[in-house]
Amino acid sequence: MPNVVGLNHQLAQDTMQAAGFYYLTEEDATGQGRLLINDRNWVVVSQEPKGGTRAAADTKIILRSKKIGE
């Protein structure tokens, strides 16, 4: 499982897909429930499962992001 914390959301998704993970979900890490419309304006602040762990290719991955500068 790649560690994508700190990457912009689009690059994080691309990194996960390049590693064979396609079951990706996303959340607004601030709890405001906003949709991540322009992924490049968001930065990943946490992920499940954590980077560096082993996971099957069909594992559900949650990327929690906030807008850059928040």
Side-chain angles (χ1 to χ4, degrees):
M1 174 69 52
N3 181 5
V4 297
V5 173
L7 299 181
N8 81 51
H9 195 85
Q10 183 63 57
L11 181 56
Q13 289 178 319
D14 294 345
T15 300
M16 286 295 185
Q17 291 173 351
F21 297 101
Y22 294 93
Y23 187 11
L24 306 174
T25 60
E26 57 194 36
E27 293 180 2
D28 178 355
T30 67
Q32 298 177 56
R34 298 174 295 183
L35 299 177
L36 283 67
I37 303 297
N38 186 351
D39 291 341
R40 287 177 176 78
N41 291 341
W42 294 74
V43 63
V44 178
V45 296
S46 70
Q47 72 181 74
E48 286 181 39
K50 300 254 184 244
T53 59
R54 289 192 171 270
D58 62 348
T59 299
K60 179 181 179 180
I61 298 167
I62 303 171
L63 301 176
R64 292 183 182 89
S65 299
K66 65 179 184 175
K67 281 193 174 181
I68 293 173
E70 288 187 334

